Amino acid sequence: MASRGRRPEHSGPPELFYDQNEARKYVRNSRMIDVQTKMAARALELLNLPEGQPCYLLDIGCGSGLSGDYLSDEGHYWVGIDISSAMLDTALDRDTEGDLLLGDMGQGIPFKPGSFDGCISISAVQWLCNANKKADIPAKRLYHFFSSLYSVLVRGARAVLQLYPENSEQLELITTQATKAGFTGGVVVDYPNSAKAKKFYLCLFSGPSTFLPKGLNENQEEDEATESMFTSKRVRHRMARRGLVRKSREWVLEKKERRRRQGKEVRPDTQYTGRKRKPRF
């Protein structure tokens, strides 16, 4: 996550910045947990996965496993890769359900071609734009990352990478290398007029170009955006759609609204939506 002052990437290599003290924040800081989980939910929404079908996903920069927890809650299987051993140790202590791998995404994604149905990443890709040693060339590391990511995805799959670009030049560097690696797609910006809530999602397609999802604006989900600001309770790691009971009317309505935002055709809401059907004889 980006700080309001000095950017974390300017503090040194990520494997040193994300030490044990930083890793503990992702367990104890309820606001950080909430923000991380919301971004994972949005990234999964933008992946536009098949309805009701468990998928095998890759989480790049998985950290302590917060985003992976959300993937598990949604019924998916996942593998996480991160360069920080302290963050992965925290994920292991929390008994996350995904498989974990210590590795540098700038050196490539070490999996067989076509291994994953999709990929998400939260607040990680911008780290590749910084050279922490003479051998690090950002453009080459980005290309190596994107080309290997393109390979490990099933053709037609998507990758949604949430990132904090430092400026327009850095964003152009990232998108240029993704295009060179074979990806199509673009950048989705949520809440573009809000300095605090603005989020960038790089939506990449590994097959033919499809429509680029629309970004959220200040008039959408306003209640949801402010809900977490006024609670003193410790936020659970597994929020499971923020406490909605699975298959309940509220759960069904929330799921249908997500599908509408993805541009999918959804049946209108009626008084029968979410109502349990009686068994047939």
Side-chain angles (χ1 to χ4, degrees):
M1 297 175 58
S3 62
R4 292 186 179 182
R6 187 181 182 185
R7 293 176 64 90
E9 311 93 80
H10 297 170
S11 302
E15 62 269 30
L16 298 182
F17 177 81
Y18 289 104
D19 56 12
Q20 292 182 350
N21 291 330
E22 194 69 21
R24 276 194 287 267
K25 296 179 183 179
Y26 286 81
V27 177
R28 301 176 180 177
N29 189 316
S30 60
R31 180 183 176 279
M32 187 175 288
I33 294 170
D34 187 36
V35 171
Q36 194 84 358
T37 304
K38 282 183 176 179
M39 291 191 294
R42 177 60 169 154
L44 183 59
E45 176 183 318
L46 293 171
L47 275 185
N48 196 26
L49 297 172
E51 181 75 19
Q53 178 180 322
C55 294
Y56 193 48
L57 305 177
L58 176 63
D59 183 2
I60 297 174
C62 64
S64 60
L66 295 178
S67 51
D69 281 349
Y70 187 85
L71 298 180
S72 296
D73 288 339
E74 293 298 302
H76 300 295
Y77 304 97
W78 59 280
V79 175
I81 181 173
D82 201 282
I83 198 172
S84 168
S85 58
M87 294 291 276
L88 293 179
D89 287 342
T90 300
L92 290 173
D93 290 341
R94 297 179 52 249
D95 293 326
T96 55
E97 295 183 13
D99 295 320
L100 304 174
L101 176 68
L102 179 66
D104 178 6
M105 59 181 172
Q107 294 181 359
I109 309 300
F111 293 98
K112 294 181 179 179
S115 296
F116 297 98
D117 301 312
C119 168
I120 70 166
S121 177
I122 307 299
S123 312
V125 177
Q126 69 271 3
W127 283 89
L128 292 178
C129 296
N130 292 271
N132 295 301
K133 50 188 177 182
K134 289 184 178 180
D136 287 349
I137 301 175
K140 288 187 176 181
R141 282 172 57 79
L142 282 164
Y143 178 76
H144 198 181
F145 163 65
F146 283 120
S147 59
S148 61
L149 176 59
Y150 187 90
S151 173
V152 303
L153 291 176
V154 173
R155 279 306 143 258
R158 295 186 181 188
V160 177
L161 317 176
Q162 184 276 329
L163 68 159
Y164 292 104
E166 185 171 2
N167 47 49
S168 59
E169 289 78 12
Q170 190 178 92
L171 185 59
E172 183 178 358
L173 172 65
I174 293 171
T175 55
T176 297
Q177 298 308 314
T179 302
K180 285 183 178 180
F183 282 108
T184 58
V187 179
V188 174
V189 183
D190 284 353
Y191 310 111
N193 300 319
S194 172
K196 186 175 182 180
K198 186 176 183 180
K199 294 292 185 296
F200 292 83
Y201 295 87
L202 180 59
C203 296
L204 302 175
F205 311 139
S206 63
S209 297
T210 59
F211 73 95
L212 191 66
K214 294 182 179 179
L216 302 178
N217 57 55
E218 284 73 9
N219 296 323
Q220 293 174 294
E221 299 182 351
E222 188 171 354
D223 293 337
E224 294 182 19
T226 58
E227 182 182 357
S228 64
M229 296 182 183
F230 304 101
T231 177
S232 59
K233 292 183 179 180
R234 180 180 177 84
V235 180
R236 290 176 59 85
H237 294 304
R238 303 199 170 191
M239 304 187 72
R241 290 199 188 285
R242 303 190 62 78
L244 296 181
V245 178
R246 191 174 181 85
K247 302 298 184 181
S248 67
R249 176 178 171 82
E250 292 76 14
W251 184 90
V252 172
L253 290 172
E254 192 271 347
K255 189 172 185 179
K256 290 177 71 175
E257 183 59 32
R258 281 196 304 118
R259 306 307 286 185
R260 291 189 184 102
R261 290 201 301 268
Q262 292 172 347
K264 291 195 170 184
E265 185 176 350
V266 180
R267 291 183 178 181
D269 299 333
T270 69
Q271 59 180 328
Y272 302 106
T273 300
R275 180 178 294 185
K276 291 185 178 180
R277 299 180 183 272
K278 294 182 179 180
R280 292 184 178 182
F281 294 95

